[in-house]
Amino acid sequence: FLEYKWWPVWGMGKEEAVKFVDKFHETHKLEEVKLVEGALESINNLLNNNHELFVITARPIKFKEKVENWITYHLKTNKINVIHAGDFHKVQASTKAEICSELGIKVILEDSGETAIECAQKNISVILFDKPWNKIHKHKKIVRVKEWQEAMHALSSIIKKS
């Protein structure tokens, strides 16, 4: 994947790809979609140190309960605030950058280069998981990381500076 939009990568139109992804979200079981290595330990560490955590998702609102159940199932907590930004298939109600600004969120962990740039331009620090589809996105408020342990070091550094 060299771009964030997955339908060109799959060689199909956006509508067809949306139906394919929606079908996946409708039929997958919670235990089938695994956490990324290091995520559980890192998130638990943040929760144990009294950080307020948010998941801001643009998944369609019809999957709200499934998203929340996935978080509870894998992270074994209900202490994470889940915010639905709209529907990435259609028009978003609010962007992640707008939501962060409204809520006073100072740091976001992200993999979308476009979202990272938008957040950085609103003076939100971004920890960007380095992926082939976000290589071109650069900004002084963006720190690239390869994995969760590195992300936690970057977060610690950002917190110390503020």
Side-chain angles (χ1 to χ4, degrees), residues 41-84:
E41 299 81 4
S42 298
I43 291 167
N44 281 335
N45 187 344
L46 292 170
L47 289 171
N48 291 335
N49 285 295
N50 296 318
H51 291 281
E52 187 174 14
L53 302 183
F54 296 85
V55 170
I56 305 172
T57 179
R59 283 180 181 75
I61 196 71
K62 65 183 176 182
F63 301 121
K64 179 182 191 304
E65 188 176 336
K66 199 149 197 180
V67 168
E68 292 169 355
N69 289 341
W70 183 91
I71 290 168
T72 301
Y73 176 84
H74 285 287
L75 301 176
K76 311 289 189 245
T77 184
N78 59 359
K79 294 181 181 178
I80 298 175
N81 303 293
V82 181
I83 298 170
H84 291 268

